Amino acid sequence: MSHREYPAAGREKTFFGHPRGLAVLFGTEMWERFSFYGLQGILLTFLTASVLQNGLGLSDTVAVPIASLYSGAVYLTSLPGGWLADRILGARRAVLIGGVIIMCGHISMAIPVSGPALVFLGLFLVVLGSGLLKPNISVMVGRLYDGDTDARRDSGFSVFYMGINLGGFLGILVTPYLAGDDRWHLGFGAAAVGMALGLLWYVRGWSRLTGTGIGPSRPLADEERGKVVRIIVISLVVAAVAIAIWAATGTLTLSTVPTVVTILSIAAAVWYFIYIFGEAKDVTPAEKAGLRAYVGLFIASVVFWMLYLQMGSILTAFAANSVDLDSWGFHLPAGGVQNFNSIFILIFSPIFGAIWLKAGTGFGTAYKFALGVGLTGLSWVFLGWLQGRADSGILVALGWMVVVYLLLTWGELCVSPVGLSVTTQLAPANLKGQLMGVWFLGPAVGTPLGGQAYAFLVPKVGEQAFFYILAGLAILTAVVLAVFSPGLHRLMGRGGHGPDAVMETPAEPRPQ
């Protein structure tokens, strides 16, 4: 066993063979995901519940884009959150501050008052805090493996990913039952408690993180600070004026907000790739080679998230409207169906982690992505078939949803943890937090796009055709990605630090 392969195992205690800091980040992310998925488990049903049931009484075509927006917008703020960590806060403080803001958001939603004001304020705070916590905790996981092997990093992210889904399982298990049919604020309160437990775990394990994430990797110079403050102030003023004008026109509605945010997400993704290739002067040609490959992976991830992250919106609506939720002898809340995914993740995460270790560089990242997107497309083909049965008046047995979620889970394990890992590897040395923010722009773009597609297509072609259209898009994307995978792997190899790189000489140390 070489020192390079297992730098920590021989000198100190480990967490399942990984650095002890992984246990701290594992637990923190587990409880943050408890709060996130707990809220996701009841948000759509709360939005569509009648006013007599203390809900908002929205239609599916209005509520689905809002729920999709929540699932995706928590990732939209990851780009500025990564920038703040890289330039001002450092990853460790960013995670702490983000967790506090998330907890405040859930507390706002838990206050039992009538009307939507505190609920939407709480959603805004959850989105804001997630932008600080989500990308930077993943960056810290990656930095635990600086100088280690790519296969071991992939394995570590798979363990970390198991913690994410353990939290998701517990959140979806607890909050729908607490919320019932009209106790929504009790469910929101459970999410607040979950985030509080995550913060406590993080603070207590602070010392186990050693030097990981302390201070910004590229702090602002004195002459830059004034410029940054001016840009922020001008941006906030412009945003406030734009929102005021929008409201004055009478077009600021629950239907138009998801559309505008989706457009902003797409614009943010395009702008950042233009920036990183054309304006970031400290990105080397070798790093740009890896980033060109990353563009292809990012596009595939957008299609993946467009389908996958509809669990809390489109798939929950399908479960509520078309699935026999009592077919197993007990009543399962519509949001609780999402827990099939959490259960399968807990079962298959270590299996897929072992598979990636066994396969090594023989099955590259692009091929993993193609397989994952294809499996996700197949799950939606199956959903289309089930929708046809429901349209003929047959309630779908709950067991069929097991098949749908099994395919989705296998697709997820081929894309999401691998995507986290490859992002930390291909990111330029001083832009790790920001590129992790770009990775999270994938769900920020894809998820609301799926919600917008639902609102636009379903009234025109029906739900079955809608499922088949998006399934066809995913399968086509998987085929194209598989065809171009060899070229993408060559670019990642040129970058010198991709998971498929084959270097004849050791890479030079990268500046910290």
Side-chain angles (χ1 to χ4, degrees), residues 307-318:
L307 278 67
Y308 173 79
L309 272 183
Q310 304 308 326
M311 292 182 187
S313 52
I314 296 171
L315 269 66
T316 296
F318 176 80

Side-chain angles (χ1 to χ4, degrees), residues 22-40:
L22 183 63
V24 179
L25 303 178
F26 176 101
T28 305
E29 183 74 343
M30 182 188 75
W31 285 113
E32 186 273 332
R33 292 290 90 181
F34 173 96
S35 69
F36 174 83
Y37 284 110
L39 174 55
Q40 181 175 279

Side-chain angles (χ1 to χ4, degrees), residues 149-196:
T149 64
D150 297 328
R152 190 162 181 256
R153 181 184 286 107
D154 280 0
S155 178
F157 269 103
S158 292
V159 173
F160 177 68
Y161 210 68
M162 186 168 64
I164 290 175
N165 286 276
L166 176 59
F169 170 78
L170 294 173
I172 295 170
L173 182 67
V174 170
T175 55
Y177 284 102
L178 288 177
D181 294 325
D182 56 8
R183 302 186 305 272
W184 310 108
H185 298 288
L186 188 59
F188 299 148
V193 171
M195 190 66 253

